[in-house]
């Protein structure tokens, strides 16, 4: 197996872990699966660093490990564990639907990245397609899930997808860029979690169908 | 010390004001006085620094700071000036508005500190967004504006406020994530071309090499950019967060959202459109601008007409006006682009007047429901007069400022051959005009409710509106020379000078606007000046 094949294969695991995040029954379990997925992302970054001879990606991997494998899941786990006992809110589509949706999105993403002719992307087009698909899987999670906590995880998935795209296409960007994006992502998760918990305390519900007072 | 030093001062002012405002609850009973003092000093210092900075940028040069990470050019100067002026006006208005909230026990002194802290943090992030030269920093700053302002949207902590805050943070964060994809594609493409990655991430460098970028990649990137940052700008169909967020935020924050935030996103779209135009030519970006523009106007106009909530009506009007700006950008050419930039300024000023005016209505009537709000002119004559003037300005009536930019848009559309599109636009603008005439007739004029005490609100809630109206009138009667110069230089920056449009003269019954070309500041930039018939273009 060649170097790019290893990168592309590990990237494929992101899709599987994203389905685990989307279909987890409890928020804390989703946080743990998100941590697992971020570990896969870190592995992709490490493999990419070695294969592409891009030493700056080791630093990216270290940053991602600290922020996405440890910090963000810890924040989510701590903030959301009190909702584990809440009544489970099924999404609009079930697990088979999620898998089918993932398959469709990955297929479309493969065709979408075909015309891109960037030299740094040529060997990693499958990984690039997976990163784009991952982004849209996150978007799909936000649209199809009724539980607002799941929508936070949808954003996390989108963010991991764009992180991989960034690593594949723009890993020569100054380190400050990656730090800026990672910081924004952490703050976004913290802010969303804060508002979601406030909503639960006022509405006594995590169902986004309750958020329909403002219309017209 | 470089000419850009006031920019550093500006950013520091907002950051320090925010940090100290967060700390003021430690002062307990002296919290209110302390936080208001910090706030007033900060907005005044910021205004002075912005004037100095923009004066330095008026000679057509780019001012760089932090090794090129931040910069101010004519285009950024327009939006920076708008943010700081609107920040000053809404900041001034916030004092009276929040004191009223405090008196009515709707908020605590600690919440007051939180408001001012996030107000200045929001101004900091917007300033960063419009002065960023680093492509990814532009995205980071725009994302940060969402995180800083979401607490202003959910400030009152009511069910509806939280709902609005949730929709705002989810839709905008998701939307702006698309913008990141577009930005990454542009950087990646530039990085393959330029030897130095530090250069490939700078807008000023990428623009120079736009002609050599890969057309297919840039075309895809621009679609992502338009969806991503267009969500923040509030164009259809990504506008759905806007009516909720604007209506639930405190009124001065609503003004800052529409006049500041939406324009920040607009600036990023324009900057990235300049790159796209350099690579794939103007046809594709302009077609998308036209499409999003006319659809935004078309969807917003009937919704403005049917709205019975004052702030939601103003929010839909923001969608409509952002649509007009996109339409003018889509028409393109010196006249279209000048119209778009002028309209961004004009709309920002008018919306500041009206959103703050809606705050006066809320304080007086306790509701935003237009079926209950009647006879404002009799209940609170000065507020009523200011609201009436603002509504007329927003409907595009002369001699107010929005008439000028709308008129320029229409003429640019006809001259560029978009006759049918312009006619549809005019038809929709008639619906908007009718909506605001109905508002004046139904809510500003007419008999006052019997059970409401008469008398205007204090000077603190009227003076900022008066200042805003003065600026609206000034921009309508005689565009100040520095503003015209900035618009002219920025138009040149975006479009260069389209030779066939030079010499275009737009005449109305009472004034003439002429587009002229003049060499300015070296070989790259050329100047397009908008002038009245009795003035001369600077040579």
């Amino acid at each position: 197996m060649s170097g790019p094949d290893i990168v592309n294969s590990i990237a494929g695991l992101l899709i599987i872990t994203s389905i685990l995040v989307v279909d987890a029954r409890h928020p804390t379990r989703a946080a743990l699966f998100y941590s697992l997925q971020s570990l896969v992302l870190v592995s992709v970054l490490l493999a990419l660093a070695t294969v592409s001879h891009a030493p700056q990606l080791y630093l990216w991997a270290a940053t991602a490990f600290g922020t996405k494998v440890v910090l963000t899941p810890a924040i989510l786990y701590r903030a959301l564990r009190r909702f584990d006992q809440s009544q489970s809110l099924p999404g609009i589509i079930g697990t088979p639907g999620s898998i089918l949706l993932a398959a469709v999105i990955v297929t479309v993403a493969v065709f979408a990245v075909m015309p891109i002719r960037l030299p740094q992307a040529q060997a990693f087009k499958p990984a690039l397609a997976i990163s784009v698909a991952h982004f849209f899987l996150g978007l799909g999670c936000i649209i199809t899930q009724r539980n607002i906590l799941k929508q936070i995880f949808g954003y996390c998935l989108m963010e991991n997808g764009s992180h991989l795209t960034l690593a594949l296409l723009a890993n020569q960007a100054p380190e400050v860029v990656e730090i800026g994006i990672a910081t924004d992502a952490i703050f976004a998760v913290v802010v969303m979690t804060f508002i979601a918990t406030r909503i639960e305390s006022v509405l006594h519900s995590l169902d986004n169908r309750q958020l329909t007072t403002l219309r017209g | 010390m470089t000419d850009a030093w006031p920019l550093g001062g500006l950013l520091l002012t907002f950051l320090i004001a925010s940090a100290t405002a967060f700390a003021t609850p430690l002062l307990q009973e002296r919290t209110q006085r302390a936080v208001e003092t910090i706030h007033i000093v900060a907005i005044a210092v910021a205004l002075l620094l912005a004037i100095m900075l923009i004066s330095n940028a008026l000679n057509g040069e780019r001012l760089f700071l932090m090794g090129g990470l931040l910069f101010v050019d004519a285009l950024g100067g327009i939006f920076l000036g708008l943010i700081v002026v609107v920040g000053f006006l809404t900041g001034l208005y916030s004092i009276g508005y929040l004191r009223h909230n405090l008196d009515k026990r709707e908020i605590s002194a600690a919440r007051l500190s939180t408001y001012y802290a996030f107000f200045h943090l929001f101004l900091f992030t917007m300033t960063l967004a419009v002065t960023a030269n680093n492509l990814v920093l532009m995205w980071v700053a725009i994302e940060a504006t969402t995180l800083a302002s979401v607490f202003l949207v959910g400030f009152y902590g009511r069910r509806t406020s939280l709902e609005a805050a949730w929709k705002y943070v989810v839709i905008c964060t998701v939307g702006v994530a698309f913008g990141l994809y577009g930005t990454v594609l542009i950087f990646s493409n530039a990085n393959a071309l330029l030897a130095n990655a530090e250069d490939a991430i700078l807008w000023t460098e990428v623009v120079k090499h736009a002609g050599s970028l890969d057309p297919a990649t840039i075309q895809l990137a621009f679609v992502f950019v338009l969806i991503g940052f267009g969500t923040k700008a509030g164009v259809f169909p990504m506008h759905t967060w806007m009516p909720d967020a604007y209506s639930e935020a405190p009124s001065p924050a609503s003004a800052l959202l529409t006049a500041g935030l939406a324009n920040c996103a607009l600036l990023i779209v324009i900057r990235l459109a300049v790159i796209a135009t350099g690579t794939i030519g103007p046809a594709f970006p302009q077609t998308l601008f036209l499409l999003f523009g006319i659809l935004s106007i078309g969807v917003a106009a009937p919704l403005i007409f049917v709205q019975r909530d004052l702030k939601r009506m103003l929010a839909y009007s923001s969608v409509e006006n952002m649509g007009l700006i996109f339409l003018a950008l889509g028409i393109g050419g010196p006249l279209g682009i000048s119209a778009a930039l002028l309209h961004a300024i004009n709309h920002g000023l008018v919306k500041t007047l009206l959103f703050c005016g809606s705050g006066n209505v809320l304080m007086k009537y306790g509701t935003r429901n237009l079926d209950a709000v009647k006879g404002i002119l009799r209940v609170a004559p000065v507020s009523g007069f200011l609201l009436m003037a603002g509504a007329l300005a927003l409907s595009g009536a002369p001699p107010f400022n929005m008439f000028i930019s709308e008129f320029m848009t229409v003429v640019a559309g006809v001259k560029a051959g978009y006759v049918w599109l312009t006619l549809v636009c005019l038809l929709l603008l008639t619906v908007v005009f009718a909506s605001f005439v109905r508002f004046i007739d139904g809510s500003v004029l007419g008999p006052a409710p019997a059970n409401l005490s008469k008398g205007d609100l204090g000077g603190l809630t009227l003076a900022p509106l008066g200042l805003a109206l003065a600026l609206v009138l000034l921009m309508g009667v005689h565009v100040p020379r520095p503003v015209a110069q900035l618009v002219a230089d920025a138009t040149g920056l975006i479009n260069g000078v389209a030779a066939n449009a030079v010499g275009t003269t737009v005449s109305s019954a009472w004034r003439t606007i002429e587009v002229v070309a003049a060499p300015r500041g070296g070989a790259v930039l050329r100047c397009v000046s908008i002038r009245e018939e009795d003035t001369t273009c600077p040579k």
Side-chain angles (χ1 to χ4, degrees):
Chain A
M1 196 181 258
S2 68
D5 287 344
I6 294 170
V7 173
N8 293 330
S9 303
I10 303 174
L13 290 175
L14 287 173
I15 299 296
I16 296 167
T17 48
S18 71
I19 293 171
L20 291 175
V21 174
V22 173
D23 282 330
R25 287 181 67 83
H26 301 298
T28 50
R29 202 170 295 170
L32 292 172
F33 282 135
Y34 170 66
S35 178
L36 177 68
Q37 175 178 80
S38 300
L39 197 60
V40 174
L41 179 69
V42 168
S43 310
V44 178
L45 296 179
L46 289 172
L48 195 60
T50 311
V51 172
S52 318
H53 308 292
Q56 67 278 12
L57 281 176
Y58 290 116
L59 193 58
W60 285 44
T63 312
F65 185 85
T67 55
K68 294 184 171 180
V69 180
V70 180
L71 187 60
T72 307
I75 291 169
L76 287 167
Y77 191 94
R78 195 176 159 78
L80 305 182
R81 63 184 164 191
R82 69 191 179 94
F83 301 122
D84 266 1
Q85 303 310 317
S86 306
Q87 193 184 357
S88 177
L89 284 166
I92 296 170
I93 54 173
T95 305
S98 295
I99 294 168
L100 188 66
L101 182 68
V104 171
I105 288 175
V106 170
T107 309
V108 173
V110 167
F111 285 104
V113 301
M114 270 183 185
I116 292 177
R117 291 195 297 270
L118 296 169
Q120 61 270 49
Q122 292 312 310
F124 304 107
K125 280 214 171 169
L128 185 63
I130 284 165
S131 72
V132 174
H134 205 269
F135 178 84
F136 283 98
L137 269 175
L139 183 63
C141 174
I142 290 172
I143 294 167
T144 59
Q145 294 296 315
R146 288 174 184 156
N147 187 328
I148 57 174
L149 302 181
K150 280 289 178 69
Q151 293 184 316
I152 300 175
F153 286 105
Y155 168 73
C156 292
L157 297 183
M158 286 182 77
E159 210 278 320
N160 270 358
S162 55
H163 197 156
L164 182 56
T165 310
L166 197 70
L168 289 164
L169 296 183
N171 59 48
Q172 289 179 25
E175 176 60 17
V176 67
V177 165
E178 203 253 345
I179 292 172
I181 292 173
T183 310
D184 257 1
I186 292 171
F187 275 108
V189 169
V190 170
V191 168
M192 282 184 187
T193 307
F194 176 78
I195 297 172
T197 49
R198 289 282 302 133
I199 287 172
E200 201 279 338
S201 66
V202 173
L203 274 69
H204 307 295
S205 171
L206 293 166
D207 190 344
N208 66 5
R209 288 171 298 182
Q210 300 293 317
L211 302 175
T212 51
T213 313
L214 298 167
R215 283 182 176 198
Chain B
M1 193 177 285
T2 69
D3 287 345
W5 73 266
L7 175 57
L10 197 59
L11 288 165
L12 270 177
T13 302
F14 290 138
L15 209 54
I16 292 169
S18 177
T20 47
F22 271 122
T24 49
L26 296 171
L27 298 171
Q28 294 179 342
E29 69 271 13
R30 284 178 295 169
T31 295
Q32 185 188 347
R33 177 171 287 189
V35 78
E36 284 182 355
T37 307
I38 292 164
H39 171 66
I40 292 167
V41 170
I43 55 173
V45 168
L47 188 64
L48 283 174
L49 288 169
I51 291 170
M52 289 168 73
L53 182 65
I54 293 168
S55 304
N56 292 346
L58 269 178
N59 60 6
E61 286 179 20
R62 289 169 173 167
L63 308 175
F64 290 95
L65 195 71
M66 294 174 72
L69 194 67
L70 305 174
F71 83 122
V72 177
D73 58 358
L75 183 58
I78 290 172
F79 289 88
L80 180 67
L82 184 62
I83 287 166
V84 176
V85 167
V86 171
F88 179 78
L89 293 172
T90 54
L92 214 53
Y93 181 80
S94 294
I95 299 167
Y97 188 79
L98 289 176
R99 278 184 188 174
H100 179 86
N101 283 175
L102 204 59
D103 291 344
K104 294 279 177 187
R105 297 186 185 282
E106 288 167 329
I107 57 168
S108 64
R111 293 291 291 160
L112 192 73
S113 299
T114 311
Y115 173 87
Y116 287 121
F118 279 112
F119 186 91
H120 287 279
L121 191 62
F122 187 29
L123 284 171
F124 168 79
T125 54
M126 286 195 290
T127 305
L128 197 62
V130 297
T131 57
N133 189 22
N134 180 310
L135 291 169
V136 179
L137 183 63
M138 284 180 194
W139 178 87
V140 169
I142 287 287
E143 172 71 353
T145 58
T146 309
L147 304 178
S149 56
V150 68
F151 289 101
L152 295 175
V153 174
F155 180 66
Y156 292 115
R158 296 185 291 246
R159 179 190 175 114
T160 48
S161 317
L162 291 170
E163 181 182 329
W166 180 255
K167 288 179 184 170
Y168 173 55
V169 74
V170 170
I171 295 173
C172 285
T173 307
V174 167
V176 171
F178 279 87
L180 178 63
Y181 257 96
T183 308
V184 167
L185 282 173
I186 292 171
F187 165 73
S188 178
N189 202 177
N191 193 34
L193 196 72
L194 301 175
N196 187 354
E198 301 279 343
D199 285 345
I201 201 124
L202 298 179
W203 180 82
T204 44
E205 293 300 315
V206 178
V207 162
K208 287 181 198 167
H209 301 90
S212 308
L213 299 175
D214 175 43
T217 308
I218 296 301
Q219 193 162 334
L220 183 66
F222 187 66
V223 172
F224 275 117
V225 162
L226 208 55
I227 293 171
F229 297 111
T231 304
K232 212 66 193 280
V235 289
F236 175 85
M238 296 86 76
H239 68 287
T240 50
W241 61 272
M242 248 180 163
D244 298 348
Y246 288 8
S247 60
E248 289 304 314
S251 293
S254 308
L256 202 55
L257 282 166
T258 190
L261 179 63
N263 284 323
C264 285
L266 172 69
L267 173 66
I268 308 299
V269 170
I270 292 175
R271 286 216 188 277
L272 299 179
V274 172
I275 295 175
T277 303
T279 308
I280 54 178
F284 183 72
Q286 284 185 356
T287 304
L288 288 184
F289 278 135
L290 286 173
L291 186 70
F292 279 100
I294 196 68
L295 284 174
S296 298
I297 303 169
V299 167
L303 287 168
I304 296 169
F305 191 79
V306 299
Q307 268 306 321
R308 302 312 298 152
D309 180 311
L310 175 57
K311 287 180 78 177
R312 290 182 81 84
M313 184 168 83
L314 295 177
Y316 280 114
S317 157
S318 293
V319 179
E320 175 246 328
N321 281 289
M322 197 48 79
L324 261 175
I325 293 168
F326 269 54
L327 191 77
L329 287 170
I331 290 165
L335 196 57
I337 292 169
S338 303
L341 295 175
L342 263 183
H343 200 69
I345 301 170
N346 291 341
H347 172 245
L349 293 173
V350 172
K351 271 298 158 58
T352 302
L353 168 59
L354 278 171
F355 266 118
C356 291
S358 75
N360 284 7
V361 170
L362 253 173
M363 285 191 277
K364 201 70 196 172
Y365 290 79
T367 178
R368 308 185 304 248
N369 185 350
L370 292 175
D371 292 326
V373 176
K374 303 283 177 194
I376 306 171
L377 204 57
R378 289 174 197 271
V379 173
V382 181
S383 296
F385 168 76
L386 291 164
L387 269 167
M388 186 160 64
L392 284 171
L394 197 58
S395 64
F400 300 103
N401 58 353
M402 285 179 64
F403 171 75
I404 304 294
S405 41
E406 287 183 7
F407 188 67
M408 285 170 70
T409 305
V410 168
V411 174
V414 172
K415 282 190 178 290
Y418 298 108
V419 179
W420 281 105
L421 192 69
T422 309
L423 281 174
V424 171
C425 175
L426 278 171
L427 199 68
L428 293 165
L429 289 181
T430 311
V431 176
V432 175
F433 185 83
S435 309
F436 286 103
V437 169
R438 191 170 74 147
F439 162 68
I440 292 170
D441 181 49
S443 295
V444 180
L445 304 173
N451 56 349
L452 210 62
S453 65
K454 292 183 182 172
D456 244 302
L457 297 145
L460 274 172
T461 54
L462 293 174
L465 274 70
L467 277 173
L469 179 60
L471 291 174
V472 166
L473 277 168
L474 180 67
M475 287 291 291
V477 175
H478 180 88
V479 178
R481 199 166 187 79
V483 178
Q485 184 66 58
L486 281 175
V487 171
D489 286 348
T491 304
L493 197 69
I494 296 168
N495 195 54
V497 177
N500 60 356
V502 173
T504 303
T505 302
V506 183
S507 297
S508 68
W510 58 286
R511 65 180 301 167
T512 299
I513 301 161
E514 189 181 4
V515 178
V516 292
R520 179 161 199 86
V524 179
L525 297 185
R526 297 176 73 192
C527 157
V528 179
S529 185
I530 304 150
R531 62 177 190 174
E532 293 187 45
E533 57 192 343
D534 57 343
T535 63
T536 52
C537 182
K539 299 285 183 192

